[in-house]
Amino acid sequence: MVSEHVQFRTDKRRQTEARIISAAADLFLEHGYRATTIRAVAKAAEVSVGRVMAIGDKGSILVACFDRWIGQLQDGTYTPPPPRRATLSKAGSEPAEAAGATSIGGTTSATNPRPASAVQRHLLDLFLPFLEFFAAHEDLSRDYTAAMVRVKEDPEVFRTLAEDLQGRLGDSLTSIGIGEDHARASAVALYDSYLGILFRWAATSMTLAEATDALLAVIAFHTRVRNPL
């Protein structure tokens, strides 16, 4: 009886936390990180400010929102809302796609043409949903990368979400004849490179086309079939 009561309270707490994260996610997407307050999240979730703060500060909640979005992107259940505004290039006022000379789904760019093999194309396609999300919500993504540096926690993007995507990458690499050990190591390196590119994109004037090209270059290196020693 006691264990059932404890389980009920645990389930209730998880449901409340999920409602808070959902409310925060909607507010972040609609108003941005800086304009969203903990009080606004509490009001939208119909809970107290203290209950929201029990999850963490605003940065921690943003990281939790990105964990949810990334998880939905990986399992194909994410439905994108309309972006707050048209994504602009960092260099000026043109739309990012027009300024970059390469659509995010493209395999070449005007500045650095690099055709991709079918396997390279497939590997890039595994990353495209995340790049597209970051491009559609660029300001929010910058705030997310900054929060990742500040928040001393263990986000899902470094745990189960990482393991899932690395598993898919490893399977693709072994399919072209790369040994399992090399494929596993390359999958981890690809994932770490992808995260590094996202951080560099958020912190510099790197364009979407340049980020895509940088990721393709790493993919091209790791898709070279390695002969066993």
Side-chain angles (χ1 to χ4, degrees):
M1 194 62 144
V2 174
S3 62
E4 290 180 2
H5 180 66
V6 171
Q7 184 63 46
F8 174 79
R9 292 185 62 181
T10 300
D11 291 344
K12 195 74 173 175
R13 184 175 67 251
R14 287 173 180 167
Q15 290 172 7
T16 301
E17 290 179 357
R19 190 167 74 250
I20 291 169
I21 297 303
S22 292
D26 290 342
L27 290 171
F28 286 144
L29 289 174
E30 183 177 358
H31 302 294
Y33 176 75
R34 298 176 191 183
T36 297
T37 64
I38 292 293
R39 188 174 297 278
V41 173
K43 182 178 180 181
E46 299 181 335
V47 298
S48 68
V49 169
R51 188 66 193 85
V52 175
M53 292 299 294
I55 296 177
D57 62 13
K58 195 165 72 166
S60 297
I61 293 172
L62 180 63
V63 171
C65 287
F66 265 84
D67 278 345
R68 171 178 289 193
W69 288 323
I70 291 169
Q72 292 171 342
L73 287 165
Q74 285 189 202
D75 63 24
T77 62
Y78 179 76
T79 302
R84 290 171 56 217
R85 58 178 177 79
T87 303
L88 302 181
S89 70
K90 296 177 184 176
S93 59
E94 296 180 4
E97 188 168 329
T102 302
S103 71
I104 193 164
T107 57
T108 61
S109 75
T111 57
N112 188 15
R114 183 166 48 255
S117 69
V119 171
Q120 291 169 0
R121 175 74 251 175
H122 173 69
L123 290 171
L124 181 62
D125 284 345
L126 292 177
F127 291 111
L128 283 183
F130 315 112
L131 294 179
E132 288 170 346
F133 184 89
F134 270 66
H137 307 285
E138 194 167 7
D139 288 343
L140 192 61
S141 298
R142 286 199 202 97
D143 290 319
Y144 165 63
T145 55
M148 289 278 281
V149 174
R150 295 194 309 269
V151 175
K152 302 301 181 183
E153 294 180 6
D154 193 13
E156 290 295 319
V157 74
F158 293 131
R159 294 192 292 128
T160 55
L161 293 174
E163 291 171 3
D164 176 65
L165 189 52
Q166 287 170 17
R168 299 185 198 184
L169 294 167
D171 290 344
S172 297
L173 291 166
T174 56
S175 73
I176 60 171
I178 294 177
E180 286 191 14
D181 288 345
H182 279 130
R184 229 177 1 253
S186 288
V188 173
L190 279 170
Y191 190 80
D192 288 346
S193 296
Y194 145 73
L195 290 179
I197 288 167
L198 289 183
F199 272 82
R200 183 153 59 98
W201 182 8
T204 69
S205 61
M206 189 180 214
T207 66
L208 177 56
E210 289 169 342
T212 306
D213 275 346
L215 188 54
L216 266 174
V218 178
I219 289 171
F221 175 80
H222 285 282
T223 48
R224 296 174 186 168
V225 177
R226 294 166 177 79
N227 294 320
L229 296 177

